[in-house]
Amino acid sequence: EDQVTQSPEALRLQEGESSSLNCSYTVSGLRGLFWYRQDPGKGPEFLFTLYSAGEEKEKERLKATLTKKESFLHITAPKPEDSATYLCAVRSNTGKLIFGQGTTLQVKP
Amino acid sequence: GAGVSQSPSNKVTEKGKDVELRCDPISGHTALYWYRQSLGQGLEFLIYFQGNSAPDKSGLPSDRFSAERTGGSVSTLTIQRTQQEDSAVYLCASTHPRGLAGDNEQFFGPGTRLTVL
């Protein structure tokens, strides 16, 4: 069964304190792993797509990496405006996106 | 340009009533998805439309749920005889045939928050 598990469920950081969010997955025929950011009361906002193990993508303070079993979202020197829920999803060979439950990040000044 | 829009933004209804939720995808996007997000839960896939193909309804939780997409654009999600467990945020997303970020990047609307009393 296709499955996505994110950890931790919640993460509190001080401004400038770097950390990583984990997304573990099992999927039949990975056709992409997606990271989204979701602010309260809004729909998810696309961040990255990764397709193959070893691939990395960066955007400002965020860097996403991918292995055959998991993906990490590294946050370097976070700021309070990085506070949000980060969602991971995988697309299997059925074409559908399967989402994890998300990691809620709070960055305190 | 305009993103995905959904209406209403909030809907409060009584148990047993029918509700209709609307999604306007980004112009030119051929694929449209509906998801449900319950409090503390991840996004749950409901239904997927791709062009003129038959929709993938495999995520609909019961026969009280249905959706249609008229003219390959606007979609309506209908929930009949609503139950309290239907309370959730209903999100719509659309996809360009060839997204800038690669295959199937999904653009989400702001969602409709449904509360069934």
Side-chain angles (χ1 to χ4, degrees), chain A residues 21 37-40 80-86 103-107:
Chain A
L21 282 55
R37 169 189 171 130
Q38 187 173 26
D39 293 295
E81 54 262 41
D82 295 323
S83 297
T85 296
Y86 291 85
T103 293
T104 300
L105 172 66
Q106 184 180 26
V107 181

Side-chain angles (χ1 to χ4, degrees), chain A residues 12-29:
Chain A
R12 286 186 176 184
L13 299 173
Q14 287 297 130
E15 184 172 2
E17 180 186 2
S18 301
S19 188
S20 297
L21 282 55
N22 177 266
C23 172
S24 298
Y25 65 91
T26 54
V27 65
S28 52

Side-chain angles (χ1 to χ4, degrees), chain A residues 63-75:
Chain A
K63 178 180 177 180
T65 61
L66 181 65
T67 72
K68 289 185 178 180
K69 295 183 179 181
E70 59 191 350
S71 176
F72 290 94
L73 184 65
H74 305 277
I75 304 177

